[in-house]
Amino acid sequence: MERLRLEQVSKTFGSHLAVDSLSLSVQAGEIFGLLGANGAGKTTTMRMVLNILKPDQGQIYWKGKPSYESLRKLTGYLPEERGLYPKIKVSEQILYMAKLRGISRTDAEKSLKYWLERFQVLQYYDMKVEELSKGNQQKIQFIAAVIHRPEILVLDEAFSGLDPVNVELLKDSVKDLRDQGTAVLFSTHRMEHVEELCSNICILHRSKAVLKGNLKELKQKYPRERVQLKTASPVEGLERVKGVLQVQSTENGYDIRIADEASAQQLLSLAMSQTNVIKFEVKEPSMNEIFIKAVGGEKNE
Amino acid sequence: MNELAAVMSFTLKNKLKSKAFIVTTVIIGLLIAVFVHLPLIIEAFSSEEPDRVGMTEDESGLAVQLKQYFEQQSNPAIEIVILPQQGTAAADLAQAREEIESGELKGYLQLSDDNRQEEHAFPSFVFHSKGTMEFSIRSSLERALQAIKMEQMVDELGLSRQQIAALTSPVSIQNVQITSEAKEGRSETEVVIAYILVYAFLIILFMAVAMYGNMIASEVTAEKSSRVMEVLISTVSPVKQMFGKIFGTCILGMLQLAVFIIIALAGLSLPYNRAALSGLNLNLSDIPFSLFAYFVIFYLLGFFLYGTVFAAIGSIVSRTEDLGQALMPITLLILAGFYIGLFGLNAPNAGWISAVSYFPFFTPLLMFMRIGMTEPPFWQIGLSILIMLASILLMGWLAAKIYRTGVLMYGKRPRWKELWKAMRSTQ
């Protein structure tokens, strides 16, 4: 079920075109990756989704409607720049934000307790935000974004600045919310998170969508151009195989770039003829590579 | 509407709980309580005992006359102590000096020899004391000597009692104010009360607008610099946020002012203070009720006009450090209004003051001052209130527009041109 749809949305600030006719659609129970270099237009897109900014052109549909009367209840937002009242107790400000979202106090209280417990920080209920560590503040910020069970959740760099344990904790929470049917619009610079979480992505570059679609399908469209090879002893003459572009010796063996997939089999037989092959893999392109390719070799921002 | 109330109560609650607010309220409250009791405190610390001043016996008899003069008074400021003659003036002085050193005497009044030879001449004096600022002792002595001198001269001239009384009775001038309306003008004490009251209210208005305005601006900037704003604008429309904050701070201000006024009034209506006031012919119930009503009206109008401006300025600044500079122009505007108001207290009928009292940023201070000091026709008051209401609507609309744009702009404080451009592109 479609939760969010952008149709040919454009936004201009003065003479600067921040978002250029962007279209995308996010389903319930889906994490949609909105990717792009800094200044590509991600934040502007998110602000339009949250109705903080109005698009100059195009139309946004929330649950199929071009305007939604209680958007503040429908959407949740974790901004890239963290922001909480430093001198106010955790419980007070979360309950305040819940109240602004139109949630009853008892519901908010229950929900807050649930999340604090889940993040193992129940003892912070009565503490001021400035007394918490950065990672814990981020958990509180996350709770502020989801306290009212939004159907559309916008996460801008949700996991930055967290240690690996806490990243897992938050990632699991995002996955849970997805499984409960939340539509998540997710932005990050960490491509491994995209691979792990997102089913569909859109890469923005200089205000335009340069690549869009299902992550698996996109990967299949990209040729498999990398071979990873691990052998018992060194292999001679890998460079001379037809179609090989570059051979790199690594600690684990060889990292080989090829022009087309056919060369892979020749590499394998060459290696097998000389020594024992421990590992051989024709790798699909990583999200990192796809991103760099999409955004282009040209030096950008 | 719910969100507006939520923002209001959140602003109010957090300010009420903040240490800074509690501390300032307590300190200012104490200061007011002390100030109200100042006459009593001064009285308690100043001794009832008259200051003792020494004089050497002398054939002119002046020392005895002076002593008698002060003894006749019901509550004399000075008691004359007559010292025995030691032969020479230098020895007399040395003796007095010892007494002064030991604290027995406050000072020593010595007859000077300068014009003693002349017939009928009243002698001149030298006053010796440790202090350099004994003005009150000196003036008491001067008054006493003047009276004695007068009596002596009158005796010599042989005037009758009636003639003396006619000569010494003071000249009297009474002030009655002429007003446009047919009713009687205000009496002198009413004008004094109005003057004191308007003066006090001007200070309160000025302080309140400046203080609470700053509070609004710094809260907005703090929300921006701590980036809570990012979350807030996705939940509440900026306009509701801004007005919620202004209303919340307004209620806070009224609560604080109410506390101060209650402390002041409670202090003033204590029996001993009331007696002191009525001794000065001042009575709290003489204050016209309408003046209080106008105070509240102009307080609210001024608060909302300046509040919107302060909020708008707060919204375009991203760092608290830059706020003071950005607020400078508006602070100067309030200061200007305040000083014109103080000046106007002494010339409330000046044409140019009437003219600038319609300038909305000055109206709360100046029109209020005019109402207190003179009696401007009702249409003038009404007109100024209408102008203020219109300006509040206009400023509120403009401030909301700036606010909506400003809260999203970070980094360097935008120039007007950039702000204008951004304002046109948001919504």
Side-chain angles (χ1 to χ4, degrees):
Chain A
M1 204 180 140
E2 192 178 59
R3 283 278 175 269
L4 180 69
R5 191 165 84 243
L6 275 68
E7 267 178 16
Q8 299 294 315
V9 167
S10 297
K11 181 74 191 172
T12 318
F13 294 113
S15 57
H16 171 62
L17 185 63
V19 175
D20 189 2
S21 40
L22 175 67
S23 300
L24 58 84
S25 147
V26 187
Q27 309 296 315
E30 178 196 345
I31 301 176
F32 186 97
L34 188 62
L35 313 178
N38 299 325
K42 283 176 297 176
T43 305
T44 305
T45 306
M46 291 181 164
R47 282 179 173 170
M48 286 191 289
V49 166
L50 293 163
N51 204 27
I52 297 169
L53 296 173
K54 281 214 167 27
D56 298 333
Q57 271 155 33
Q59 188 64 54
I60 300 177
Y61 297 91
W62 294 274
K63 294 180 88 173
K65 295 184 205 161
S67 69
Y68 202 85
E69 62 286 349
S70 60
L71 211 54
R72 68 205 166 95
K73 223 165 172 170
L74 185 76
T75 59
Y77 181 36
L78 178 72
E80 181 176 7
E81 301 275 2
R82 310 291 177 238
L84 294 165
Y85 290 100
K87 298 214 181 289
I88 292 174
K89 281 183 195 163
V90 167
S91 54
E92 269 171 40
Q93 51 186 313
I94 299 289
L95 294 178
Y96 173 54
M97 284 171 192
K99 194 171 170 191
L100 292 180
R101 300 279 193 187
I103 304 299
S104 84
R105 200 184 158 90
T106 43
D107 282 357
E109 193 96 39
K110 226 191 291 171
S111 182
L112 172 61
K113 287 255 168 68
Y114 163 79
W115 281 107
L116 286 176
E117 217 156 332
R118 173 160 191 167
F119 290 155
Q120 297 148 26
V121 289
L122 199 56
Q123 69 273 25
Y124 297 150
Y125 183 87
D126 262 333
M127 272 168 82
K128 286 180 184 171
V129 165
E130 60 184 354
E131 297 166 339
L132 307 186
S133 73
K134 219 182 149 204
N136 284 326
Q137 286 187 17
Q138 185 131 339
K139 289 180 192 168
I140 305 301
Q141 184 92 55
F142 183 85
I143 297 175
V146 299
I147 186 83
H148 56 294
R149 302 169 193 283
E151 290 182 68
I152 300 171
L153 180 60
V154 178
L155 300 177
D156 202 350
E157 290 291 341
F159 310 137
S160 69
L162 286 175
D163 64 55
V165 177
N166 283 324
V167 169
E168 284 308 310
L169 208 60
L170 255 68
K171 215 156 45 179
D172 284 344
S173 306
V174 175
K175 283 183 193 163
D176 276 2
L177 287 170
R178 173 196 64 191
D179 296 342
Q180 287 161 22
T182 311
V184 183
L185 188 63
F186 182 81
S187 130
T188 183
H189 290 130
R190 302 277 294 276
M191 293 306 150
E192 70 271 23
H193 292 155
V194 178
E195 296 197 59
E196 187 182 340
L197 295 170
C198 301
S199 39
N200 292 298
I201 61 156
C202 172
I203 298 179
L204 289 178
H205 180 53
R206 302 205 166 156
S207 320
K208 278 196 175 73
V210 285
L211 192 69
K212 205 164 61 180
N214 182 279
L215 190 54
K216 273 188 201 131
E217 287 165 18
L218 283 175
K219 281 195 167 182
Q220 272 160 16
K221 269 189 221 156
Y222 278 80
R224 301 176 169 219
E225 293 170 330
R226 267 178 68 211
V227 173
Q228 210 176 30
L229 177 66
K230 196 172 173 187
T231 52
S233 58
V235 183
E236 298 278 319
L238 286 174
E239 303 84 354
R240 289 192 292 276
V241 174
K242 191 174 163 245
V244 169
L245 300 172
Q246 190 191 19
V247 178
Q248 229 175 353
S249 301
T250 65
E251 280 167 54
N252 292 319
Y254 301 95
D255 208 1
I256 304 158
R257 301 186 76 83
I258 50 178
D260 74 289
E261 269 183 74
S263 316
Q265 299 311 314
Q266 290 178 38
L267 282 170
L268 180 61
S269 38
L270 178 70
M272 278 166 67
S273 68
Q274 291 180 24
T275 177
N276 285 336
V277 174
I278 296 168
K279 185 182 176 189
F280 177 81
E281 189 185 352
V282 184
K283 296 192 76 165
E284 63 176 10
S286 72
M287 197 49 233
N288 223 359
E289 287 167 311
I290 293 177
F291 181 82
I292 291 169
K293 255 200 184 142
V295 169
E298 39 175 334
K299 295 279 167 280
N300 45 55
E301 302 89 332
Chain B
M1 220 52 214
N2 265 338
E3 302 130 80
L4 192 69
V7 176
M8 254 170 77
S9 71
F10 187 75
T11 308
L12 187 60
K13 223 169 60 187
N14 284 312
K15 272 287 159 204
L16 280 176
K17 278 196 291 189
S18 82
K19 270 197 201 100
F21 178 78
I22 296 170
V23 169
T24 35
T25 310
V26 168
I27 289 179
I28 298 180
L30 281 176
L31 281 179
I32 292 173
V34 169
F35 188 75
V36 166
H37 292 95
L38 215 50
L40 200 72
I41 292 167
I42 290 174
E43 209 172 293
F45 276 97
S46 61
S47 58
E48 289 287 302
E49 296 284 292
D51 291 318
R52 290 156 64 90
V53 173
M55 274 186 92
T56 311
E57 254 191 312
D58 165 83
E59 49 281 359
S60 69
L62 264 175
V64 179
Q65 270 180 296
L66 205 54
K67 187 177 167 67
Q68 282 166 352
Y69 176 86
F70 281 118
E71 276 167 358
Q72 275 162 18
Q73 288 181 346
S74 60
N75 196 6
I78 289 173
E79 183 193 342
I80 299 292
V81 178
I82 300 190
L83 305 171
Q85 269 184 326
Q86 299 291 324
T88 64
D92 286 344
L93 184 57
Q95 167 189 256
R97 199 169 265 212
E98 247 171 65
E99 301 263 329
I100 291 172
E101 286 294 333
S102 70
E104 280 297 306
L105 293 180
K106 193 92 187 196
Y108 173 62
L109 190 66
Q110 186 182 32
L111 267 83
S112 120
D113 291 328
D114 289 352
N115 49 2
R116 217 180 257 199
Q117 299 87 339
E118 283 175 54
E119 190 77 12
H120 299 310
F122 199 73
S124 61
F125 298 86
V126 181
F127 184 62
H128 301 270
S129 80
K130 274 173 121 175
T132 52
M133 301 288 281
E134 311 278 19
F135 295 125
S136 71
I137 295 183
R138 224 182 73 187
S139 67
S140 295
L141 289 170
E142 267 168 9
R143 260 199 312 268
L145 289 167
Q146 192 73 41
I148 291 167
K149 176 181 167 187
M150 174 86 96
E151 223 161 281
Q152 270 185 13
M153 296 298 157
V154 163
D155 265 357
E156 277 173 41
L157 293 170
L159 295 178
S160 72
R161 287 277 148 206
Q162 286 89 339
Q163 282 170 315
I164 297 170
L167 190 63
T168 52
S169 71
V171 177
S172 128
I173 296 182
Q174 261 207 329
N175 241 347
V176 172
Q177 189 188 25
I178 293 169
T179 55
S180 50
E181 281 154 64
K183 65 177 176 182
E184 219 173 296
R186 280 184 260 190
S187 71
E188 204 165 337
T189 60
E190 278 174 342
V191 172
V192 170
I193 288 185
Y195 186 93
I196 295 172
L197 203 72
V198 170
Y199 201 106
F201 279 178
L202 276 185
I203 292 176
I204 296 175
L205 267 175
F206 164 72
M207 297 270 287
V209 168
M211 204 164 78
Y212 301 124
N214 261 292
M215 202 183 268
I216 294 174
S218 62
E219 279 223 344
V220 175
T221 307
E223 273 177 3
K224 245 185 103 174
S225 75
S226 72
R227 308 267 177 166
V228 187
M229 200 57 100
E230 293 263 335
V231 183
L232 290 183
I233 43 176
S234 68
T235 58
V236 195
S237 80
V239 181
K240 277 184 189 161
Q241 243 182 82
M242 186 181 90
F243 283 109
K245 210 163 271 302
I246 294 174
F247 288 142
T249 314
C250 179
I251 294 172
L252 178 88
M254 296 216 287
L255 281 178
Q256 199 176 30
L257 278 182
V259 170
F260 295 156
I261 290 174
I262 287 170
I263 291 176
L265 287 182
L268 284 177
S269 57
L270 288 173
Y272 44 86
N273 275 327
R274 199 184 284 176
L277 279 179
S278 60
L280 291 170
N281 242 337
L282 300 177
N283 197 339
L284 286 179
S285 53
D286 280 355
I287 301 166
F289 174 75
S290 64
L291 201 56
F292 279 113
Y294 279 122
F295 174 73
V296 174
I297 291 172
F298 282 109
Y299 171 78
L300 290 177
L301 290 175
F303 189 94
F304 283 114
L305 184 63
Y306 279 100
T308 49
V309 178
F310 273 102
I313 294 174
S315 77
I316 52 176
V317 177
S318 353
R319 296 185 312 156
T320 322
E321 300 93 291
D322 299 335
L323 187 61
Q325 201 194 353
L327 289 178
M328 189 65 88
I330 189 78
T331 312
L332 287 178
L333 203 59
I334 306 178
L335 260 181
F338 179 60
Y339 280 115
I340 296 173
L342 287 191
F343 177 82
L345 273 175
N346 298 312
N349 289 315
W352 67 274
I353 285 190
S354 310
V356 291
S357 70
Y358 294 104
F359 177 54
F361 285 96
F362 291 164
T363 301
L365 291 160
L366 295 185
M367 188 50 87
F368 176 73
M369 185 276 294
R370 288 183 58 203
I371 294 171
M373 297 308 294
T374 69
E375 264 168 32
F378 187 74
W379 68 264
Q380 291 193 357
I381 303 174
L383 179 63
S384 76
I385 290 178
L386 278 182
I387 293 176
M388 278 223 75
L389 285 174
S391 343
I392 289 172
L393 285 180
L394 182 72
M395 277 316 296
W397 173 81
L398 190 68
K401 250 182 134 41
I402 293 175
Y403 193 97
R404 195 157 44 196
T405 315
V407 291
L408 288 170
M409 294 180 91
Y410 280 98
K412 182 178 73 67
R413 183 146 55 90
R415 287 193 302 267
W416 284 111
K417 212 174 133 193
E418 295 165 333
L419 191 66
W420 178 242
K421 259 182 165 174
M423 265 165 68
R424 289 177 32 174
S425 60
T426 7
Q427 311 229 337

